[in-house]
Amino acid sequence: MSEPAAGRLRGVASGLLRWTSLRLRLVVVFALVALTAAVSASGIAYWLNRNTVLDRTQNAALKDFRTQLAERTRSLPLHPACEELRDAARRMAAGPQNYDVLLRAKDGAGKTCTATTDPDLLNLKTVPKSLQKAVEQRRPVDESNKAPYHLYWQRQEIEDDPYFVAGARLNGGGPTGYMVKSLATERQDLNSLAWSLGVATLLALVGSALLAQAAATTVLRPVQRLGTAARELGEGKLDTRLRVTGTDELADLSRTFNRTAERLQQRVEELSTREASSRRFVADMSHELRTPLTAITAVTEVLEDEADSLDPMIAPAVQLVVSETRRLNDLVENLMEVTRFDAGTARLVLDDVDVADQVTACIDARAWLDAVELDAERGIMARLDPRRLDVILANLIGNALKHGGSPVRVSIRTEACADGDWLLVRVRDHGPGIPEEVLPHVFDRFYKASASRPRSEGSGLGLSIAVENAHIHGGGITAANSDEGGAVFTLRLPRDASRLATGGDGGPEAENGSGTGPDAARGGSGATAEPRKRAGGGDGPASEDER
C-alpha cells in the first residue's frame, strides 16, 4: 500500500474512532433524550392550547350566533321581504364576534330570498353541502330530542384561509341562518406558539448537549488518563501511576490500576532478573566450556587420526568420543549464539553478495554438491550479512538432506513489493514431509518431534538459530508441505538490510556465533552440517570468542 493511501486509511480510521467515541455517544444520547422530551412536551402543549383556543372561539361565536339569530329574526314576519332579511343580517354581523351572516327565507310570493353581508365570502357555494343538508334536516321530536332543528358547525379552508362555518334553522318557522368566522387570528397565535415551542426545544437541545459535554468531561477525563496510562504501561513504562482523587468508582478504579501496575512491575523485575541470571549463566558456562573443549577437540582429532592403529576393541569408543566431542562443541557454539540473540547483542555485518554464489559456496563447503540442485540465476545481488546467510542456508539444506533426503532443490527468486524488493529462497526435499502436528513447532528450541527419541545427533537449535538470523535481517522463514510431496522451507529476506544494521555498513561487528547444525525438526534429532575437514573449531561458519 502506498504512503498516501495508508495515510488516508489512517485518517478514515481515526475519523471513525472519533465518531464512535464514548464522548460523542454520550452527547448524542443526552441530546436524543432532551429532544424527545422537549418535542413530546411541546407537542402536548401545542395540542392542548390549540384545542383550547379553537374551542373558546367556536363556543363564543356559536353562542352569539344562536342568540342573535333568535333576537334579530323574532320581529320578522313569517315570509319576510329581501330587504328585511338584509337588514337583519347586517344587525347580526355587527356584533362583537365579527362574523359574516347569511339569512335565507321565502317571501310572500313564495320566492326564496338570500341575504348575506359578504357575497364573495359567504354564499350557498361556500357553505358545505353536508352542512346545508344537516341544517335543513328535520328530526323527529321525542323525549330525547326536544326540537326538530339543531345548530351545526364545521371548519374548512376558503382560499387557503381557515374559517369556522355554522348554520341553524329557527324552530317554529323563520329564516335559515348561516355564519362564517375567520380563524386567521387564532392560526397566527398558534403559529407564534409553535415557533416559541420550537425555540424552547432548540434551547433544550443545546442545553442538553452542553450538559452532556460537561458530564462527559467530568466522567471521561479520568477514563482518558487511565487509557493513556495503560498504553504507557503496555509500551514498557512500568513506573506509570495514576493520581488518585476522590472516593468514587473512578477513584477506586485508579487505585486498582496503580496496585496492578505495581505488582506487574515487581513481577517483571523479578522475571528480568531471573532471565538475566539464566542468560548470564548460559553465556558463562558456554564461554568456560570453550577452553577445555578446544583441548579435548585437539586430542580427539589426534585419536581419530590414529584410529586405524588402535585396538579394535578400543576404536568404537574412540569414534564415540570424537563424535560426542564435536556434538558438544556445536552445542556450545549454538548456546552462545542463542544467548546473543536473547541479549539483543547480535548485529549485522553487511556486504554485497551474489546470492547464487553464496549458496554454491555453502553447498561446496559441506560437500553437498551431488545431493543439491540449484535453480538460480547469477547476478542476483543483495546487501546482507554473508556469515549469517551461510548459517541459515547450512541449517535449511542440511535439515532437508537429513530428514527429507536427496535430491534437495534450492531455488532463488526475487519479489517486488510496495515495501521494497525481497529475496525468496525455497529449499524443497522429496521426503515424507512434516507431520501436521509438528509444523507449528519446527522452529522451537530443543523441540523433538518424537518423545521416544529425546536424544539426537544435533543440538535441536539449528532451525531456531536460522529463523533468528532471518529475523535480524528483517525477514523470516516459513515451513510447509508441498502438494507434490516433501517439505518446503521458504526464506524471505529484504535485498537491502541496511536500515536494520546498527551503525550502518561500517557499524561494529558484534559477537557472532555459528549455529551450524540443522535442527531436528521432523525426525526428532538434528544433524551437524559437516564441512569437508575439521581442524580446531571447524572451517565452516566460524564463531568468535564472547567479549
Side-chain angles (χ1 to χ4, degrees):
M1 182 181 294
S2 63
E3 190 63 28
R8 287 194 297 271
L9 184 59
R10 287 193 296 270
V12 171
S14 177
L16 289 177
L17 288 175
R18 287 195 299 270
W19 280 107
T20 57
S21 66
L22 184 59
R23 180 186 298 273
L24 179 61
R25 282 183 284 172
L26 188 60
V27 171
V28 170
V29 168
F30 266 74
L32 288 178
V33 171
L35 182 63
T36 303
V39 168
S40 300
S42 298
I44 294 173
Y46 179 82
W47 181 75
L48 292 176
N49 279 274
R50 178 180 179 275
N51 289 342
T52 300
V53 170
L54 293 179
D55 288 345
R56 184 175 63 247
T57 301
Q58 291 172 182
N59 291 338
L62 290 175
K63 182 178 179 181
D64 185 77
F65 175 69
R66 183 185 294 109
T67 303
Q68 292 290 336
L69 182 62
E71 292 180 354
R72 300 301 178 185
T73 60
R74 185 181 302 165
S75 59
L76 293 176
L78 184 60
H79 299 288
C82 288
E83 185 61 32
E84 292 175 325
L85 280 177
R86 281 192 288 270
D87 184 62
R90 283 193 295 269
R91 288 197 302 270
M92 290 177 63
Q97 292 298 320
N98 192 25
Y99 51 77
D100 291 299
V101 179
L102 181 147
L103 296 178
R104 191 164 179 261
K106 291 184 178 181
D107 58 11
K111 182 180 180 182
T112 301
C113 179
T114 301
T116 177
T117 56
D118 189 345
D120 296 329
L121 177 63
L122 182 58
N123 53 62
L124 292 180
K125 293 182 179 180
T126 58
V127 177
K129 297 297 183 181
S130 58
L131 181 62
Q132 295 183 39
K133 183 178 179 181
V135 169
E136 296 294 341
Q137 183 179 3
R138 181 182 178 87
R139 299 181 179 278
V141 178
D142 51 27
E143 292 182 358
S144 60
N145 183 34
K146 302 298 182 180
Y149 299 102
H150 296 270
L151 176 65
Y152 297 93
W153 61 270
Q154 72 178 64
R155 301 187 192 114
Q156 71 170 8
E157 288 193 357
I158 301 176
E159 296 180 357
D160 297 329
D161 292 327
Y163 286 90
F164 170 67
V165 183
R169 182 170 180 177
L170 287 176
N171 291 299
T176 301
Y178 295 95
M179 58 84 70
V180 60
K181 178 177 175 59
S182 175
L183 298 177
T185 302
E186 285 72 15
R187 182 168 70 174
Q188 184 177 359
D189 293 341
L190 292 175
N191 288 340
S192 299
L193 176 63
W195 275 105
S196 300
L197 294 175
V199 171
T201 301
L202 181 61
L203 292 177
L205 184 61
V206 173
S208 67
L210 295 177
L211 181 62
Q213 179 67 18
T217 301
T218 304
V219 174
L220 297 181
R221 185 172 295 167
V223 176
Q224 290 174 346
R225 287 198 296 265
L226 179 62
T228 301
R231 283 192 295 270
E232 292 178 354
L233 193 65
E235 293 170 358
K237 300 178 182 178
L238 300 180
D239 58 344
T240 301
R241 299 293 183 272
L242 289 173
R243 182 171 56 88
V244 180
T245 58
T247 58
D248 56 8
E249 290 80 358
L250 293 174
D252 184 61
L253 179 61
S254 299
R255 280 189 287 270
T256 302
F257 175 85
N258 289 341
R259 288 194 297 269
T260 303
E262 184 177 358
R263 293 171 184 170
L264 179 62
Q265 184 180 16
Q266 294 174 354
R267 184 61 176 167
V268 169
E269 288 176 353
E270 293 174 1
L271 293 177
S272 298
T273 302
R274 293 178 184 177
E275 182 182 2
S277 300
S278 176
R279 191 163 53 240
R280 187 72 257 173
F281 171 76
V282 174
D284 292 343
M285 179 189 66
S286 302
H287 181 73
E288 293 298 327
L289 285 175
R290 293 188 70 180
T291 300
L293 273 176
T294 301
I296 294 174
T297 300
V299 173
T300 56
E301 288 177 351
V302 172
L303 291 175
E304 187 178 20
D305 292 339
E306 299 295 332
D308 295 337
S309 61
L310 294 176
D311 190 323
M313 299 295 294
I314 303 176
V318 171
Q319 291 297 331
L320 178 61
V321 169
V322 171
S323 174
E324 291 301 313
T325 301
R326 289 177 177 173
R327 180 173 178 272
L328 181 59
N329 188 67
D330 288 336
L331 176 60
V332 171
E333 297 293 343
N334 288 340
L335 286 175
M336 294 182 67
E337 181 78 345
V338 168
T339 303
R340 295 186 188 99
F341 282 122
D342 290 343
T345 59
R347 298 290 183 269
L348 294 176
V349 181
L350 300 180
D351 195 5
D352 294 324
V353 297
D354 187 312
V355 182
D357 290 344
Q358 183 77 16
V359 176
T360 302
C362 175
I363 297 172
D364 182 59
R366 294 159 179 82
W368 290 339
L369 289 174
D370 296 336
V372 178
E373 299 177 356
L374 179 60
D375 177 16
E377 297 180 1
R378 302 287 177 179
I380 299 178
M381 304 300 296
R383 188 161 185 77
L384 303 168
D385 187 328
R387 190 198 64 79
R388 294 189 182 278
L389 180 59
D390 183 80
V391 170
I392 298 173
L393 295 172
N395 280 286
L396 294 182
I397 298 174
N399 188 77
L401 287 172
K402 179 172 180 59
H403 300 288
S406 61
V408 172
R409 184 176 180 85
V410 180
S411 60
I412 302 174
R413 298 289 184 270
T414 58
E415 182 182 58
C417 299
D419 53 350
D421 294 336
W422 292 80
L423 177 70
L424 298 180
V425 180
R426 296 177 74 249
V427 179
R428 181 195 167 195
D429 59 49
H430 292 78
I434 306 174
E436 293 297 328
E437 66 274 8
V438 176
L439 269 176
H441 306 286
V442 292
F443 298 109
D444 293 352
R445 296 174 183 176
F446 298 109
Y447 179 76
K448 306 295 182 181
S450 175
S452 63
R453 293 185 294 167
R455 177 178 175 81
S456 64
E457 297 178 9
S459 65
L461 293 172
L463 285 181
S464 64
I465 292 176
V467 78
E468 291 290 350
N469 278 304
H471 289 164
I472 200 174
H473 280 88
I477 305 175
T478 58
N481 289 315
S482 174
D483 295 336
E484 301 174 359
V488 179
F489 286 82
T490 303
L491 169 66
R492 189 172 188 266
L493 297 176
R495 292 188 65 178
D496 187 355
S498 299
R499 62 186 178 87
L500 298 173
T502 302
D505 297 344
E509 181 176 355
E511 300 88 356
N512 294 324
S514 62
T516 57
D519 199 2
R522 283 172 279 184
S525 62
T528 301
E530 293 289 347
R532 293 177 178 175
K533 299 179 181 179
R534 290 191 72 95
D539 60 357
S543 300
E544 297 181 5
D545 291 339
E546 180 137 346
R547 296 185 286 276

